[in-house]
Amino acid sequence: MKDIIVENICKSFPKEHIQALDDINIEVEKGELFGLIGPDGAGKTTLFRILTTLLLADSGSAIVNGSDVVKDYKAIRRKVGYMPGKFSLYQDLSVEENLSFFATIFNTSIKENYDLIKDIYEHIEPFKNRRAGALSGGMKQKLALCCALIHRPEVLFLDEPTTGVDTVSRKEFWDMLKRLKMEGITIIVSTPYMDEANLCERIALMQKGKILSVNTPTHIKSSFPDPLFAIKTEHMIKLLADLRAIPEIKSVHSFGEYHHITLNEPSENELQLLHQTLANDKHEAIDIKKIEPEIEDCFIQLMSN
Amino acid sequence: MNSEHAIITDQLTKSFGSFTAVDHISFEVKRGEIFGFLGANGAGKTTAMRMLCGLSKPTSGSATIAGFDIYKDTEKIKTKIGYMSQKFSLYEDLTVKENIRFFGGIYGLSNKALKLQTNKLIDTLGLESQSGKLVASLPLGWKQKLAFSVAVIHEPSIVFLDEPTGGVDPITRRQFWDLIYEAAQRGITIFVTTHYMDEAEYCDRVSMMVDGKIAALDSPEKLKLKYNVESMDDVFYHLARAAKRGE
Amino acid sequence: MKQFMIFVKKEFKHVFRDSKTLLMLFGLPIVQIVLFGFALSNEIKSADVLICDHANNNYSHEIIHKISASKSFEVKRVTTDHSEIEEAFKQGSAKIAIVIPSDIEDQIFHSTHGSLQVISDASDPNTASTLTSYISNIIMDYKQTLNAGNSPPMQVVPEIRMLYNPTLKGATNFVPGVISLVLLLVCVLMTSVSIVKEKESGSMEILLVSPMNPFTVIISKAVPYFFLSLINLTVILIMSVVLLDMPLNGSIFLLYFESSILILCALSLGLLISNSTDSQQAAMLISLMGMLIPTMLLTGFLFPLENMPLPLQYFANILPSKWYFIIVKSIMIKGLGISAIYKETLILIGMTVLLLFISIRKFKIRLS
């Protein structure tokens, strides 16, 4: 069963001359953990706002949990949970006050759905009398998630929940999402961090209001068109410049410890030649190996097309 | 002036009441080095960076930036450094050219130098057709590249970059690092914070702050070796997990 | 109902946990009352007088004594040298000078038009004319007592009575002004800022994406400020009655009823402002520029409206505070009932209904 169906959604902001969404089509299954991956300005927030009935699309239609986002907006507002990107809770209310406020607003109580948020809330319960403004980034994010979950929503929208949060908190957060998924809640999460794509069941890569690709992370990675090689020498900055100057190389991008390259005509022979060229350029400890592409490789490849 | 080091700190400390945000940190950054300054949220990165830029007075300890003392010579330090953050970088309601002129003017460039630099900068960034447009109309990636170029327009000794690539697309992110490399090769010391762990690999050396202290400081390779892990992400996770404060 | 209650509770917590809001809410009226009541009074006390006495007899001494006995004047110097007058004005050591002619006795008993000269420093015209009329009153009074036994020459003496405010106290005018100023400021500024704050922090998005009716959100936002404004009104009233001897002749119930209308009017205006702006600063600026300044200048409590150019007088008609000011004065000072102020009340109600209607119509159930 499809929980979200987005058809040909377009949205522009004429004042700012921005085409925020350009003919978006997505379907999300019930109970799926779906990721919208893309940099700032890709249109993730706009799409979320349309799906949560906060904005009207210029054209196209969308159905969330069986209800139309325009006609049945009241029904949708009862059954979705939403955590906006800039959401900062009520800083001057305590953790407990924030939570019970949102529980009441959603016609429920903390007690009623405590089992759903128990695992998350236990992390912050020792500080339940502390004002939300005095919490660390990771804790705020957990509290915000509790507030979005308190009414046991059918669909959960999380807009960049991990932006600006350090690696440790990010890992914890994704663990929580996996547990929530087991409760049968459909989760749509957006993120600018490409590495988080692997934690979703299916992802949509977005850039400048367009969808580059929608599929499972594994499938997206396997449809990378060329063999990919990682290359490393003693002097990485010089290597980058040297690789760019070699005409046989199709693309070169730095990826942390290694540079990732694709060749115009990949073959064992070409690699030997490349090794030779680099040695002639006085590179030492040359390390070339074939690797499987990451989501970021795919994103760059799709962007360049 | 010690020409070897751009930044030297010794037991540098900043407390707010009973809370020690930065706890006796000592490290050195070599001239022309790309220095990654990492740490979990609330580890004290921002406070430390503020002190190094001369924006906040340390509680105790000492530091020299580009040869100047951070207690006595804060004004001189400011002429020797560039600063760029994710939040504020350029005036959105000024054009590209006006921004360059403004920041160049602030750093005391002569009219002639200003004109030369403006043209050079617009040329290298490939912004010829955009130079008369408002910064607000540029894509985020362009803004960040322009902001960086403006931050080094006066050829400072050190440039401080506070999460310069947050939310930027992967291609622009790499182009941004190309600019960093170029600046480093001209001898500008780069002091950068980031949440992208692959960017930590691009640094010559990386420091990891945990609970106000520097928990580790070395080249990415040696750090990975030391903690016997595959990636900088694992190094970070290994160290930051031990943090007690903030939560 | 439960949603509504917890929302109202939350709003009160916001107010009581923010010292700046509290200061604004309760510090403002106190400061205003003190400022207008003691510092900015237009009553004149102890103006310096220079007297040039050419007569120097019992009658002139008596006049000088009468003047110095008045609270309004303080006789600085008595001289016979005419040239000292201008000198004293230049130095600012006197505000007003009186020249008593040598034939003062003759003038009092035999002349129908005396020529006692009063010279005043008119660089401050309001003060000068007030002082001059005070002096004339004193002298006229003296002349009457002296002539009491004799058959006076034919003359018409105007007898002036200052009705409702016999002592010409400034408080009677500015207290109603301060009440309208504070009520407007608190309601417009506080509601608009508190709504825009929710937009800025992103919590408005959550509230919209909740089963709570957007209309309930707005009502819950307004209710706390409605009650806080009534408390504010009470504080001002107590202060002005106790500290400034302000009369409260009419019905208190009527006063609170009329004030409630103004508060509703201001709340709708605050709501309207919050609808059309997304930043707290903008909301604050619009509220201050759009409300505070016109209310101060055009309500009539600082500057009389009758003296203003016609366009400004017309413009003042669209200010709720102008009508409220008239209403409060009528109730508190004149002690009038609803029948005397029904016209103003209807205008105020009309404005409120219109504003409330527009602001509810314009309230967005979505983000844009």
Side-chain angles (χ1 to χ4, degrees), chain C residues 42 51 96-97 102 109 141 159 168 171 174 184 190 217 271 296 299 309 336 365:
Chain C
N42 49 10
I51 295 178
I96 191 159
S102 48
F109 292 107
D141 210 39
E159 189 179 312
L168 281 178
F174 80 79
L184 271 173
M190 299 277 166
V217 175
L271 181 55
M296 290 262 274
T299 296
L336 299 176
I365 55 160

Side-chain angles (χ1 to χ4, degrees), chain B residues 30-78:
Chain B
K30 289 196 215 72
R31 279 190 62 187
E33 190 173 24
I34 301 177
F35 189 83
F37 197 60
L38 310 184
N41 297 116
K45 276 180 303 175
T46 312
T47 315
M49 209 144 143
R50 286 220 177 109
M51 284 195 283
L52 298 180
C53 294
L55 296 175
S56 125
K57 237 191 170 81
T59 312
S60 66
S62 65
T64 45
I65 310 296
F68 295 111
D69 184 87
I70 57 166
Y71 289 95
K72 286 179 286 178
D73 300 324
T74 46
E75 289 315 307
K76 283 187 193 140
I77 288 175
K78 284 177 193 167

